[in-house]
Amino acid sequence: MKLLIVNGPNLNMLGIREKHIYGDRDYAALCRMIEGWAGELGCEVELCQSNHEGAIVDRIQQAYFDGTDGIVINPAAYTHTSVAILDALKAVQLPAVEVHISDVNAREPFRRLSYAGMACEAHFVGMGFEGYRLAMVYLVEKIGNGELGIGN
Ligand code: DQA
């Protein structure tokens, strides 16, 4: 099974940006943790991070053609603005799970709206890096037992 992990703008600045919100571990540490969890779960992962909306749309579209089984996505600020990322997730019809490191529902009101989330099966919010692990477990279990696949 192959999962694509998509991280949006400014997540490459983890460990530097707003440490009181996002913690002091950096993006490389997050990637290492995700790769470790993939090993434990017996799945393949591809990681991508971009500060550009179109690049994220391109990567989601590519997932349709490259054998990806599911997507874990933290669209970061594009969560709250991007209909293009929502449409890309809907276009590929791959099972997707939304992750946010911080509790977006307890912050500024504009962070409560998630466009990408409308195309996601599950949402792990405010659990720090652990949210990525829970999202991966969710997809591996549901795809593995046939509950989720392309188009459902
Ligand atoms: C975030 C929350 C977003 O509102 C914010 O723009 C981010 C990170 C999170 O992981 O908590 O960049 O997606």
Side-chain angles (χ1 to χ4, degrees):
M1 185 180 312
K2 183 159 107 179
L3 301 182
L4 172 66
I5 318 289
V6 181
N7 279 297
N10 301 304
L11 290 169
N12 57 317
M13 297 293 279
L14 286 172
I16 299 168
R17 71 182 293 210
E18 299 178 282
K19 288 188 193 183
H20 58 292
I21 297 175
Y22 300 110
D24 52 18
R25 288 174 301 183
D26 64 11
Y27 179 67
L30 174 62
C31 293
R32 282 194 300 274
M33 289 172 82
I34 289 171
E35 277 158 3
W37 294 324
E40 286 166 22
L41 290 166
C43 67
E44 205 184 312
V45 274
E46 273 189 38
L47 287 143
C48 77
Q49 187 280 326
S50 179
N51 296 324
H52 304 277
E53 185 176 15
I56 294 170
V57 169
D58 286 345
R59 190 62 192 84
I60 292 168
Q61 288 184 10
Q62 191 191 318
Y64 181 80
F65 300 100
D66 72 6
T68 296
D69 297 292
I71 298 175
V72 173
I73 184 161
N74 181 349
Y78 290 139
T79 305
H80 320 298
T81 62
S82 180
V83 176
I85 292 174
L86 167 63
D87 284 350
L89 290 169
K90 285 172 133 177
V92 299
Q93 296 180 74
L94 288 164
V97 174
E98 177 182 23
V99 172
H100 295 287
I101 296 166
S102 67
D103 184 358
V104 282
N105 296 312
R107 297 177 62 191
E108 304 94 322
F110 67 83
R111 293 187 203 273
R112 289 187 204 139
L113 174 63
S114 170
Y115 288 102
M118 294 173 196
C120 290
E121 305 292 331
H123 315 263
F124 295 98
V125 171
M127 295 172 165
F129 288 5
E130 173 69 3
Y132 290 86
R133 190 184 70 79
L134 296 173
M136 292 167 70
V137 168
Y138 180 93
L139 284 173
V140 167
E141 279 179 3
K142 299 261 177 182
I143 296 167
N145 70 19
E147 272 180 72
L148 281 180
I150 198 155
N152 67 11

